[in-house]
Amino acid sequence: MPTEVKGAIELRKALRKFTPDLAKETQKEISGALKPITKDAKGYLPDSGSVLSGWLPRENSNGTFPTYNARLVKAGIGYKTSPSKPNRRGFRSLARVFNKTAAGAIYETMGRKTPTSRFVQNQDSKYGAQLKGNGKMQGRAIYRAYDENQGKAKEAVLKALKSAADKLNATAKVKG
């Protein structure tokens, strides 16, 4: 779930400028918190044999609907620990788990708005994946892994930032 943390971007800039080793340590702690979510999310994705046959790559197909290739979709799930660009409302993410494939995004969110569509019902009957989460934070792989993580990753990221801030302040007082 999104959490608003004020001053975190400035803290990360100060860490890189004054204590690069502490900045790297903080990045490692954040990465350690996000790795279990990406690993679990990759495990929730079906293999190519578990999706509808019409969604698989076909020879001589000129269709524009993305095809499902399990290897590519699993490779498309990752995480970043660097701050993102501000969105249109001015918010930035400090750490994020993402899926960069179109087929993975379709699988992640299918059934969120139209759970009774034929595509969703056929896929669910073949590979009973379940949506987890609430509202816009509802999905079948990444959001499911995050939901089952029960906030441990969020707490670990916040703890890493707090400890980095404390260490930076302590070194600033010593040099002071």
Side-chain angles (χ1 to χ4, degrees):
M1 294 290 165
T3 303
E4 190 171 338
V5 179
K6 295 187 181 198
I9 302 293
E10 294 79 13
L11 169 67
R12 302 222 18 211
K13 287 178 183 177
L15 287 173
R16 278 195 314 266
K17 186 175 182 181
F18 298 114
T19 56
D21 54 328
L22 184 57
K24 288 179 185 177
E25 180 183 324
T26 305
Q27 293 280 84
K28 281 185 181 180
E29 288 180 42
I30 293 172
S31 295
L34 298 178
K35 279 182 186 178
I37 292 176
T38 59
K39 183 180 178 220
D40 290 346
K42 288 177 183 182
Y44 293 137
L45 293 170
D47 59 349
S48 293
S50 297
V51 295
L52 300 175
S53 61
W55 203 10
L56 296 173
R58 299 172 298 285
E59 289 184 35
N60 303 325
S61 174
N62 296 330
T64 58
F65 191 78
T67 57
Y68 188 89
N69 181 331
R71 186 180 54 78
L72 294 176
V73 172
K74 287 181 183 185
I77 291 181
Y79 63 90
K80 286 194 175 190
T81 59
S82 58
S84 67
K85 293 180 181 179
N87 66 8
R88 60 188 143 152
R89 292 181 19 212
F91 289 99
R92 301 171 85 176
S93 67
L94 298 174
R96 59 201 170 280
V97 179
F98 60 85
N99 185 341
K100 59 184 175 184
T101 61
I106 291 168
Y107 178 77
E108 177 76 35
T109 60
M110 72 178 181
R112 190 188 284 176
K113 287 189 177 182
T114 55
T116 57
S117 73
R118 184 176 293 164
F119 177 70
V120 173
Q121 288 180 340
N122 288 342
Q123 182 63 36
D124 284 347
S125 68
K126 186 169 185 172
Y127 182 77
Q130 54 197 28
L131 284 168
K132 289 237 179 157
N134 296 318
K136 290 185 178 183
M137 298 287 291
Q138 187 178 29
R140 297 172 183 274
I142 295 173
Y143 290 117
R144 179 179 175 188
Y146 181 82
D147 188 57
E148 291 177 358
N149 185 266
Q150 299 175 344
K152 293 176 191 168
K154 180 174 83 171
E155 294 301 320
V157 168
L158 293 174
K159 182 181 173 187
L161 291 172
K162 172 119 177 67
S163 68
D166 293 343
K167 289 177 185 177
L168 181 64
N169 288 334
T171 58
K173 287 179 184 176
V174 169
K175 293 180 182 178

